[in-house]
Amino acid sequence: MTETTATPDPTMEAIGKALVLGRGGGIETARRDLLAIWQQIGVAGDPFHRCTLAHYLADLYEDPAEALIWDIRALDAADGLKDERAQQHHASLQVAGFYPSLFLNIADNLRCLGAFEAAAEHISSAEQHTSALSDDAYGDTIRTAIHEVRQAIDNRDTARRASAPGAA
């Protein structure tokens, strides 16, 4: 079954619209829209909404410290998320598949900030969760990024990766 949710989810629709806007170059407007949605959701709101929004919002910040805050919020929300809730949005979603990307993003931001030991811990967590990734283009992208970040950590390189998502 590959259908999305049977019931429309206005919050996910609004998050999706902001994501498209941000990827199209409207970064400031997308960020403002996502922050407004975050205010509606609240820090104790639906973990799926919080995880998705924080994950996308982090990519709209060039400053790794600002992105890190949102990436940590995404990871925190994922820890409270169940597969059943994620599958209300799309039947194929498994929360375990979120963790490689979430840990990768935190590791990459920590690396950019020069916190190499903490970055190494998080990239190790990303590596440990790669078995949850599908054998598809998305999984390949995340595995490649994990490898790139691991190399950058080992080289003590704080430069932004050319393949990193975001506002740059």
Side-chain angles (χ1 to χ4, degrees), residues 60-153:
L60 297 177
Y61 288 97
E62 287 186 51
D63 180 344
E66 289 180 297
L68 179 61
I69 291 167
W70 291 102
D71 284 328
I72 290 170
R73 287 176 176 158
L75 179 63
D76 180 61
D79 286 342
L81 183 56
K82 304 287 185 220
D83 286 340
E84 295 80 15
R85 171 58 186 105
Q87 290 166 1
Q88 288 174 3
H89 180 69
H90 196 283
S92 69
L93 292 178
Q94 298 285 321
V95 176
F98 295 7
Y99 284 98
S101 179
L102 295 172
F103 282 118
L104 162 67
N105 292 346
I106 291 171
D108 201 24
N109 286 313
L110 289 166
R111 175 195 64 79
C112 289
L113 293 167
F116 296 111
E117 290 179 28
E121 289 177 25
H122 283 84
I123 206 65
S124 291
S125 293
E127 291 165 341
Q128 292 169 9
H129 286 86
T130 57
S131 64
L133 292 171
S134 299
D135 190 22
D136 59 10
Y138 173 77
D140 291 344
T141 297
I142 299 302
R143 282 186 284 274
T144 298
I146 290 170
H147 178 73
E148 290 173 354
V149 171
R150 169 59 78 187
Q151 284 185 315
I153 292 167

Side-chain angles (χ1 to χ4, degrees), residues 59 61 105 108 160-168:
D59 288 346
Y61 288 97
N105 292 346
D108 201 24
R160 181 176 173 83
R161 291 180 303 115
S163 63

